[in-house]
Each structure stands twice: as C-alpha cells, then as structure tokens.
Amino acid sequence: MEDSSFLPYAQFLARWIHYVSGVCWIGLLYFLNLVNVPLQGKLDASIKKSLVPELMPRVLFWFRWAAMFTLLSGLAYYALYFEATGLRASAPNWTIWILLGMILGSIMWFNVWFVIWPNQRKIINGIKSGNPADPSIPKKATLFSRINTFLSVPMLFFMGFGRHAGGNISLFSLEGILVVAIAGGVGALVVWFSIRQSFTISTEV
C-alpha cells in the first residue's frame, strides 16, 4: 500500500485504542487485587449484599470489555504493521518480543472471559440470592485473577522492552532467555509483595 493510503491512520487508531483499553484493563486488574480483595475480606454479609451487586457488575463490565478491546486492537495493530512494512517470512527482534507479550496478554484475556468472569457471576448471584456460591468458586476466581496480575508484569515489560533494548537482543539467544527469566522472576516477586502488603495497609488518612 502507498504512503497516501489510510493505513498509517488505521495503525494510529488501533494503537491508541490499544493503549486506552489496556490502561483500563490493567488498572482494574490491579484495583481488584490490591484494593477490592482485601476490602471484601473485611466486610460482613449484610454490607456485601448491598455493596457487591452494585459495585462488581460495573467493575467487571469495564474489566472484561477492556480486555476484549485490548486484545482485538493489539492484533489489529500487529497485522497492520506487517501490512505496512511488507514483512512476511521474517520479523525484526523487537516484534518477536512484542509477540511474546501478546501471548501472555492472550492468556490473560482467556482467563478473564472464560474463568474469572463466569465465576464472578456465580459469586454475585449467590450474594444477591442469599445463597453463597460454593467456596471453591471464589478461590478459583481469585487464583486466576492473581495469575493475571503476575503475568501482567512480564507482559508489560516485553511490550516496552521490544521497542527499546529488545531490538538488539534475540529472544532465542542466551541473553534473551536470561532477560525472560529475570523479567518473570522479578515481576512475580514485585506483584507478590504488593498483594501481600495490600492486606496490611492502614485505612487511616
């Protein structure tokens, strides 16, 4: 396609949607894990019955649809980039790093739509009806939400790393494997510490 086409504008639009929806998705993911989970554990049943049905459907609506738009806009931008550059059989190092981030993001999207959201619906309906869901359901929803929180750190790292230092480092080199190991390990420790600390933060202002 020639430079006079609308392709550059389509790329910009896809990238902008990707940024905005990604900020919404990951922001709500951190809210759920660092703020909501510790709060819900301290609420008694009567407060939960009035608060959860009002709060959580709103949060989860934006959460799951932000995940959907992040995924679709990311795939669109990646496809438009390859269309614009004419790359087919090979790609520069930085696109491989971003592809790795996309894989992690796709796993997170799957967890949102097919594990976290269905189980959260059961939890909310159980609170509404006064018949709490089986204890395994909240545990499963929390587990996969935590998995997504852990995955978000290396995912965001690879997305940013690709356009900077990643252009000079092959993912399949020893140096690249070391970067993956460090990013995953450090990211997991940071998120684990943040979640643990969120349960002890004072409510005083």
Side-chain angles (χ1 to χ4, degrees):
M1 302 182 82
E2 298 182 4
D3 293 338
S4 59
S5 71
F6 288 100
L7 185 57
Y9 301 99
Q11 285 180 286
F12 171 77
L13 180 62
R15 197 172 190 181
W16 181 74
I17 293 173
H18 189 61
Y19 285 161
V20 173
S21 56
V23 167
C24 182
W25 178 19
I26 301 304
L28 287 172
L29 174 66
Y30 292 161
F31 165 78
L32 287 168
N33 282 272
L34 302 181
V35 179
N36 184 65
V37 170
L39 173 65
Q40 295 289 341
K42 295 180 179 180
L43 299 179
D44 59 40
S46 61
I47 296 177
K48 279 188 177 182
K49 191 167 184 177
S50 60
L51 176 64
V52 171
E54 289 292 326
L55 173 66
M56 294 310 294
R58 290 178 168 87
V59 172
L60 293 167
F61 173 85
W62 292 108
F63 180 63
R64 69 182 186 275
W65 284 108
M68 180 66 77
F69 277 93
T70 302
L71 176 75
L72 295 179
S73 59
L75 292 174
Y77 179 75
Y78 205 73
L80 288 167
Y81 172 80
F82 276 78
E83 179 67 22
T85 58
L87 293 173
R88 293 294 183 272
S90 61
N93 284 334
W94 71 265
T95 62
I96 304 301
W97 286 104
I98 290 180
L99 179 60
L100 178 58
M102 288 172 60
I103 292 171
L104 295 181
S106 298
I107 294 171
M108 293 168 61
W109 167 85
F110 181 91
N111 289 344
V112 167
W113 274 90
F114 298 102
V115 182
I116 298 172
W117 166 236
N119 283 280
Q120 284 288 352
R121 288 181 65 186
K122 295 176 183 178
I123 296 169
I124 294 168
N125 290 333
I127 293 174
K128 283 182 178 180
S129 65
N131 298 310
D134 186 277
S136 64
I137 293 176
K139 289 181 180 179
K140 186 176 183 181
T142 301
L143 172 62
F144 277 82
S145 186
R146 293 283 171 79
I147 289 173
N148 273 12
T149 307
F150 289 135
L151 292 179
S152 72
V153 177
M155 181 271 291
L156 292 169
F157 175 86
F158 297 139
M159 290 289 188
F161 183 77
R163 288 297 274 169
H164 296 280
N168 300 317
I169 300 175
S170 170
L171 172 62
F172 306 105
S173 66
L174 181 60
E175 191 176 12
I177 294 172
L178 182 61
V179 168
V180 172
I182 293 174
V186 172
L189 285 174
V190 168
V191 174
W192 172 80
F193 179 77
S194 299
I195 292 174
R196 183 173 180 179
Q197 286 297 109
S198 69
F199 285 88
T200 62
I201 293 175
S202 173
T203 57
E204 295 180 3
V205 294

